[in-house]
Amino acid sequence: MAGKAGRSADDAARMPLMEHIRELRSRLIRSALAIVVAGIVGFVFYRHIVSVLETPICNIKSIHGVGQPTKDCRNGVLVLVGPSAGITLAFKIAMFSGIVLAAPVWMYQLWAFLAPGLYKKEKKYSLTFIGAAIPLFAAGAALCYVFFPTILRVLMGFVPSGVAAQLPLDQTLVFFLRMMVVFGASFVLPLILVLFNFIGILSGDRMRRHWRVVVLAIFVFSAIAVPTGDPIGMSVLAIPICLLYFGAIGIALANDKRRAARQAADPIHQLSPDEASSLDLTPAPIERADSLEDIS
């Protein structure tokens, strides 16, 4: 009997952990299904996606390849090597498309898994973060799409004269997509700092005092992320991130000022559920009875 009781206690103690594991498995399955469905869509339309991605590369007039110039790619710089290169490219495009198109779904599933451990205020901030992260990521990817020909032109400038360039289409487009992911993720970083400020982890004054170090780190990161290493390509990524960082400082300082005003007006307002409010130990005045009838 004692053994059975011990096993029951252990099962009860493990139950919350098992529930979390089952919930995590459920949300991972939903995210994977969303990525698969979006990947199927990307596989169906992969020719259109490839056409959109190769347009800025094929429009570079200063470079020419060994491939046959076509109506869609006049410089003939993009080629495919091997009989299975086409289907491999289709699966790679489908994989990237699935991850990008299903981003709202898997980001929501991640938030929903973490939400039970957050306070009501933090849940509101997390939803706002997800809503703002998607357009910022798209803006960074769009910036990379616009300036990628310049980056590629600089890279191709190192090809010796008299040598024809050959760019495998699958490797070039995967490189292009990775650059777009780097640009998009970089645009989301200042938003994470704003989220930390709203939750109360990072103050706006601390962000303002360390802006020089952050700007230097941004330019170092941009120099590493942009493969050309030239000042133009580095600045294309670093300057927008710096502007977003200073915008994040302004939002954080305004939020700190608002929070300080609310704390001054209502000190109990900012207490978390785990903090106890201060007790008012001032004795209340005793009202004087005007007659014996009031006493009775």
Side-chain angles (χ1 to χ4, degrees):
M1 293 297 293
K4 292 183 178 180
R7 286 195 297 270
S8 300
D10 292 338
D11 293 340
R14 285 195 298 265
M15 186 60 65
L17 177 60
M18 296 304 299
E19 290 178 358
H20 284 303
I21 293 176
R22 282 193 291 267
E23 182 184 4
L24 177 61
R25 181 184 62 184
S26 175
R27 299 199 179 280
L28 288 176
I29 292 175
R30 294 175 188 175
S31 300
L33 288 176
I35 293 175
V36 170
V37 172
I40 293 174
V41 175
F43 184 82
V44 173
F45 295 98
Y46 94 96
R47 293 183 183 272
H48 302 280
I49 298 174
V50 169
S51 178
V52 172
L53 293 176
E54 71 179 7
T55 296
I57 302 174
C58 292
N59 287 338
I60 303 176
K61 298 181 180 180
S62 60
I63 61 175
H64 299 280
V66 298
Q68 174 107 19
T70 62
K71 182 180 178 181
D72 296 329
C73 194
R74 298 183 183 276
N75 57 15
V77 74
L78 296 176
V79 296
L80 280 176
V81 181
S84 63
I87 188 66
T88 302
L89 175 63
F91 279 112
K92 289 181 178 179
I93 294 296
M95 180 186 66
F96 276 97
S97 301
I99 295 175
V100 173
L101 295 178
V105 177
W106 58 260
M107 288 179 67
Y108 173 79
Q109 294 298 327
L110 176 63
W111 170 85
F113 178 73
L114 299 176
L118 301 176
Y119 297 126
K120 183 178 180 180
K121 177 182 65 176
E122 296 173 347
K123 294 179 183 179
K124 177 182 66 176
Y125 295 152
S126 301
L127 284 176
T128 305
F129 166 78
I130 294 175
I134 295 175
L136 281 175
F137 184 91
L143 182 67
C144 178
Y145 184 85
V146 172
F147 284 95
F148 185 75
T150 303
I151 297 174
L152 187 60
R153 190 179 298 112
V154 173
L155 289 174
M156 298 301 295
F158 290 93
V159 177
S161 59
V163 178
Q166 178 177 334
L167 297 179
L169 180 61
D170 51 350
Q171 297 180 15
T172 305
L173 292 188
V174 169
F175 170 72
F176 192 5
L177 290 172
R178 287 176 179 173
M179 287 292 299
M180 294 178 70
V181 171
V182 169
F183 271 68
S186 301
F187 272 49
V188 180
L189 292 178
L191 183 63
I192 297 177
L193 298 179
V194 173
L195 177 64
F196 286 166
N197 174 261
F198 274 68
I199 294 178
I201 299 176
L202 185 64
S203 66
D205 183 67
R206 185 176 181 182
M207 294 170 59
R208 180 181 56 82
R209 285 187 285 107
H210 294 85
W211 71 268
R212 294 178 181 85
V213 177
V214 174
V215 169
L216 177 61
I218 290 174
F219 273 90
V220 171
F221 167 77
S222 301
I224 298 174
V226 177
T228 59
D230 64 294
I232 296 177
M234 177 180 64
S235 300
V236 166
L237 178 60
I239 292 177
I241 299 177
C242 290
L243 293 177
L244 289 173
Y245 177 74
F246 287 116
I249 291 177
I251 295 174
L253 290 175
N255 181 61
D256 290 345
K257 185 177 180 180
R258 178 187 59 85
R259 180 183 296 154
R262 295 179 65 178
Q263 286 180 343
D266 185 10
I268 303 178
H269 178 76
Q270 292 295 328
L271 292 179
S272 68
D274 299 329
E275 295 177 312
S277 59
S278 57
L279 299 178
D280 186 4
L281 302 179
T282 304
I286 301 176
E287 298 181 358
R288 182 178 179 181
D290 294 336
S291 61
L292 295 176
E293 293 180 358
D294 293 339
I295 298 177
S296 62

